[in-house]
Amino acid sequence: MTTPPAPPREYAVDARSTSTFGRVMCSARTHHFIIDGPVANGCPGEELTPPEAFLSGVAACGVELVQVIAREQSVPVQDVAVRIQAVVDRSRPVRPDVTVFNTVRMRFTLAGVPRDRAGGLIEQFKKR
């Protein structure tokens, strides 16, 4: 017997301009936060920029999913940390029609679990 697929998950975030050029008010559920365009674009650059917010979501997903996978497998992970780094090099575009990251690297640090088990958890994260 096969397990039926999980229903799709839907997410929504609203974003609107503010009275400050390049500053955006974002809302997700009942949470509100500011995203600033970068100084290079003439924006404030004081808050997280859109790429930083995007990468934060990816890193948070990595931490949360490794915790979930570890719990499913009864692996006692004490701490999960992720460092994500990305590069946009406009002089070497990946695609000529859009700007995308040239490279993205994630570094996981897991405490309280043997290296081989940690590697297995990270490999399973990559497949989700």
Side-chain angles (χ1 to χ4, degrees):
M1 177 163 39
T2 60
T3 305
R9 296 178 185 175
E10 294 185 28
Y11 304 93
V13 175
D14 296 308
R16 64 176 177 79
S17 61
T18 67
S19 60
T20 301
F21 177 83
R23 178 159 285 166
V24 181
M25 171 64 79
C26 300
S27 300
R29 295 181 287 133
T30 60
H31 305 279
H32 310 289
F33 52 98
I34 299 292
I35 301 288
D36 278 354
V39 173
N41 289 352
C43 302
E46 296 168 350
E47 303 292 334
L48 289 179
T49 62
E52 291 167 331
F54 175 81
L55 294 169
S56 294
V58 174
C61 184
V63 170
E64 182 263 338
L65 279 178
V66 167
Q67 288 178 320
V68 167
I69 294 164
R71 182 181 61 198
E72 288 172 351
Q73 298 178 8
S74 300
V75 177
V77 175
Q78 295 171 349
D79 188 53
V80 180
V82 171
R83 168 95 172 156
I84 189 167
Q85 294 177 280
V87 173
V88 173
D89 183 349
R90 292 180 190 269
S91 70
R92 297 180 353 174
V94 176
R95 288 179 46 182
D97 56 332
V98 295
T99 299
V100 297
F101 294 113
N102 294 71
T103 60
V104 177
R105 289 187 171 79
M106 295 177 77
R107 180 170 185 223
F108 286 78
T109 304
L110 281 67
V113 62
R115 183 178 290 272
D116 62 326
R117 290 297 299 268
L121 293 171
I122 293 165
E123 286 304 313
Q124 290 175 54
F125 159 74
K126 292 178 185 180
K127 295 176 183 175
R128 291 235 177 153

